[in-house]
Amino acid sequence: MKPKLNVLFLAAEADPFIKIGGLGDYAGSLPLALHDIVPTSEDETGIDIRLVIPFYGAIQQKQYPLKRVAAFEVPHAGGSLPAEALMLEMRGLPVYFISGSMIPADAPVYTSDPAEDGRKFTFFSLCALELARSLEWPPDIVHANDWHTAPAVYALSLIQRDSDPVFNNAAALLGLHNLPYLGAGAEQALDEFGLPPAENSALPGWAKQMPLPLGLLAADHIVAPSPTYAQEILTPEFGSGLHSFLRQRKQDISGILNGIDVNRWDPRTDEQLKANYSHEDLTPRKVNKTALQQEFNLEVDADIPLIIIISRMDNQKGIDLVPDALRHIAGQRWQAVILGTGDPVLEAAVRGLENNLPDQVRVAVRFDAALSRRMYGAADIILIPSRYEPCGLNQMIGMRYGVVPVARATGGLKDTIQDYDLSEESTGFLFDKESASALSEAIRRALAVYENRDAWTQLQQRCMQQDFSWDRFARQYLTLYRSLARAKAARQPGSSQTEV
């Protein structure tokens, strides 16, 4: 068996230890899925992947059985800063937690102060590299994610690798999950930690000392969470001012969809549902629908199409389009339950919709994971009108539960949903234009198909049989890792390349 591929995986959050958004789902699932891959032959490389996240106060309070494995220092303009790493194993996956003065126990994961977050995440990024040195564990791949850990990629590019036995063969991969979050405000932190601006580079002048652009510049490869988003970031509409630079790197950019934990999201076993079911028999869903209608004091009728929205209240998610879209179709027979929190203006807008359509609309302005599961298990249609969506999980989870998505044709939504009018293997309804009228027209199309209950049941069953498991996408990552490691080995001067 060939030597294993060493992968150092860095993220600002990872479920189940700490989760704020989709990055937490990704970083909590992909390393485990990769760890679980068994080589299929002696000619296939295995993988030794190790996850590294900050040791936030919220994690400390959970009192995991950790052991201290390393202590080291990180250079800083005010003097070297001490740090330590603690470790546990999650289903055999090594998980390291970085502790130090720049990661205060009384602070949230993300603050409203970009300078403070800049210092925290730059410190963490450099500590992750020092951890590999301290463990004398040379990574073949350093996989960083988003602006928070992009400084590790840039720092790696500044190392004199010929004289560094730990990183001389390391290829850097940067996961790009949400391009607009560039790390603006972290410029001083980079300077304090000895990471200079990228003068005389292809980056635009305003981006030469921002974490994410520097990571995009230095990475050997960039991976977006969907093939369509990988193309969209090359355009002015989605490129956040970096589209011209990214076009120069387009041969080094690919898109791999995120997956979902199909064991965690399974209508056959979900304990939050009144009735469990599978694609082979959808009849028990009526029990869940009745229960949700009763919970929200809606008319109890299994034949009324039930629409849901489970979303952050944010313009990026297209929530501002929803009130007018639903008002446009108020004369038709449907019900809607909206769950989410975020922008107070949007919260007020959907509450206003509830007041305008008291017989049809209910709004829950809160985060409620248990309710979201009950909604998935009961609803007929889920609305996802995002302006941009690098990948999206709601459509995958919804389809897993037999909820048909109505979504904007962007990013991962376009890659995971086949439009009803374009394919006999359709799994939902897509619309292109960013407008309430386009959204309402897509809902009308869905409601029209709903009237043909046999066709609708077949549509639900196709949705439920889609394969969004992490195993499928993790193997694509492993293929990419191997390709990057081979390319890096081939570029080493005087090296005798070993097949990976």
Side-chain angles (χ1 to χ4, degrees), residues 302-325:
D303 291 329
I304 299 177
L306 178 58
I307 300 168
I308 60 169
I309 297 172
I310 301 171
S311 177
R312 188 173 74 250
M313 298 290 176
D314 191 292
N315 274 355
Q316 180 228 319
K317 299 295 185 180
I319 300 302
D320 56 307
L321 306 178
V322 171
D324 283 346

Side-chain angles (χ1 to χ4, degrees), residues 8-30:
L8 184 68
F9 193 101
L10 288 62
E13 55 180 276
D15 192 43
F17 307 106
I18 193 81
K19 176 185 174 320
I20 306 299
L23 176 63
D25 290 309
Y26 172 87
S29 299
L30 176 58

Side-chain angles (χ1 to χ4, degrees), residues 204-223:
W206 57 266
K208 292 182 184 293
Q209 202 173 8
M210 283 188 187
L212 185 59
L214 290 172
L216 295 171
L217 173 70
D220 292 289
H221 197 84
I222 300 159
V223 62

Side-chain angles (χ1 to χ4, degrees), residues 126-208:
L126 299 180
C127 283
L129 298 181
E130 289 302 324
L131 171 63
R133 281 204 182 93
S134 182
L135 297 175
E136 297 182 351
W137 181 78
D140 299 291
I141 304 291
V142 174
H143 184 161
N145 292 280
D146 290 334
W147 79 262
H148 325 99
T149 53
V153 174
Y154 186 54
L156 197 60
S157 72
L158 303 177
I159 293 172
Q160 298 296 322
R161 300 202 203 177
D162 289 347
S163 58
D164 192 320
V166 175
F167 293 109
N168 62 352
N169 283 317
L173 176 66
L174 182 59
L176 180 61
H177 304 277
N178 207 333
L179 179 58
Y181 294 88
L182 302 170
E187 294 86 349
Q188 183 177 345
L190 295 177
D191 182 63
E192 291 173 3
F193 281 98
L195 300 179
E199 304 294 354
N200 304 315
S201 72
L203 287 173
W206 57 266
K208 292 182 184 293

Side-chain angles (χ1 to χ4, degrees), residues 76 81 100-104 116 119-121 123-124 192-193:
H76 184 266
L81 298 175
S101 60
M102 290 289 173
I103 307 174
E116 179 181 341
R119 288 189 291 272
K120 172 171 59 186
F121 290 119
F123 170 75
F124 166 69
E192 291 173 3
F193 281 98

Side-chain angles (χ1 to χ4, degrees), residues 21-336:
L23 176 63
D25 290 309
Y26 172 87
S29 299
L30 176 58
L32 271 173
L34 285 161
H35 171 76
D36 290 343
I37 292 176
V38 177
T40 57
S41 73
E42 291 187 0
D43 293 328
E44 189 174 80
T45 315
I47 186 168
D48 180 358
I49 184 166
R50 306 187 182 190
L51 171 63
V52 190
I53 62 174
F55 195 34
Y56 303 109
I59 301 177
Q60 296 175 29
Q61 293 171 10
K62 296 177 181 178
Q63 298 185 337
Y64 290 107
L66 304 173
K67 64 177 180 180
R68 186 171 178 268
V69 294
F72 42 81
E73 294 185 344
V74 170
H76 184 266
S80 294
L81 298 175
E84 66 175 10
L86 302 100
M87 190 265 274
L88 59 70
E89 288 192 357
M90 177 172 61
R91 284 172 30 198
L93 171 74
V95 182
Y96 297 89
F97 303 88
I98 300 295
S99 175
S101 60
M102 290 289 173
I103 307 174
D106 59 350
V109 175
Y110 308 116
T111 75
S112 58
D113 183 349
E116 179 181 341
D117 280 356
R119 288 189 291 272
K120 172 171 59 186
F121 290 119
T122 303
F123 170 75
F124 166 69
S125 297
L126 299 180
C127 283
L129 298 181
E130 289 302 324
L131 171 63
R133 281 204 182 93
S134 182
L135 297 175
E136 297 182 351
W137 181 78
D140 299 291
I141 304 291
V142 174
H143 184 161
N145 292 280
D146 290 334
W147 79 262
H148 325 99
T149 53
V153 174
Y154 186 54
L156 197 60
S157 72
L158 303 177
I159 293 172
Q160 298 296 322
R161 300 202 203 177
D162 289 347
S163 58
D164 192 320
V166 175
F167 293 109
N168 62 352
N169 283 317
L173 176 66
L174 182 59
L176 180 61
H177 304 277
N178 207 333
L179 179 58
Y181 294 88
L182 302 170
E187 294 86 349
Q188 183 177 345
L190 295 177
D191 182 63
E192 291 173 3
F193 281 98
L195 300 179
E199 304 294 354
N200 304 315
S201 72
L203 287 173
W206 57 266
K208 292 182 184 293
Q209 202 173 8
M210 283 188 187
L212 185 59
L214 290 172
L216 295 171
L217 173 70
D220 292 289
H221 197 84
I222 300 159
V223 62
S226 69
T228 293
Y229 191 61
Q231 295 301 312
E232 287 177 339
I233 62 175
L234 307 180
T235 68
E237 180 181 0
F238 297 98
S240 299
L242 294 173
H243 54 281
S244 295
F245 162 73
L246 290 169
R247 283 177 192 158
Q248 298 175 43
R249 296 223 60 192
K250 64 181 179 181
Q251 72 280 1
D252 299 319
I253 301 174
S254 59
I256 300 175
L257 282 166
N258 292 345
I260 59 173
D261 185 335
V262 294
N263 295 312
R264 180 185 173 198
W265 297 105
D266 189 344
R268 296 172 301 180
T269 57
D270 194 327
E271 295 180 354
Q272 294 296 332
L273 304 185
K274 288 283 187 182
N276 295 111
Y277 59 94
S278 72
H279 74 274
E280 295 173 342
D281 181 12
L282 298 176
T283 305
R285 293 188 94 253
K286 292 181 180 180
V287 175
N288 300 325
K289 189 173 190 176
T290 295
L292 194 72
Q293 288 171 328
Q294 291 173 335
E295 181 177 350
F296 281 92
N297 195 27
L298 289 164
E299 179 184 350
V300 176
D301 187 338
D303 291 329
I304 299 177
L306 178 58
I307 300 168
I308 60 169
I309 297 172
I310 301 171
S311 177
R312 188 173 74 250
M313 298 290 176
D314 191 292
N315 274 355
Q316 180 228 319
K317 299 295 185 180
I319 300 302
D320 56 307
L321 306 178
V322 171
D324 283 346
L326 291 183
R327 288 189 184 100
H328 288 166
I329 60 170
Q332 294 186 242
R333 197 162 184 253
W334 52 265
Q335 299 169 338

Side-chain angles (χ1 to χ4, degrees), residues 423-479:
S423 170
E424 293 182 355
E425 297 302 315
S426 60
T427 52
F429 300 84
L430 296 172
F431 65 97
D432 291 309
K433 191 175 179 182
E434 183 187 306
S435 69
S437 59
L439 171 57
S440 64
E441 180 55 33
I443 300 171
R444 282 194 182 98
R445 290 170 54 211
L447 294 176
V449 177
Y450 182 86
E451 293 301 315
N452 182 338
R453 301 314 296 275
D454 287 341
W456 189 262
T457 298
Q458 292 169 17
L459 176 56
Q460 289 179 295
Q461 289 172 328
R462 287 196 296 274
C463 286
M464 295 181 72
Q465 293 177 80
Q466 301 301 301
D467 180 9
F468 295 124
S469 65
W470 261 116
D471 177 69
R472 170 186 170 193
F473 303 116
R475 290 184 182 279
Q476 294 179 34
Y477 271 98
L478 183 53
T479 298

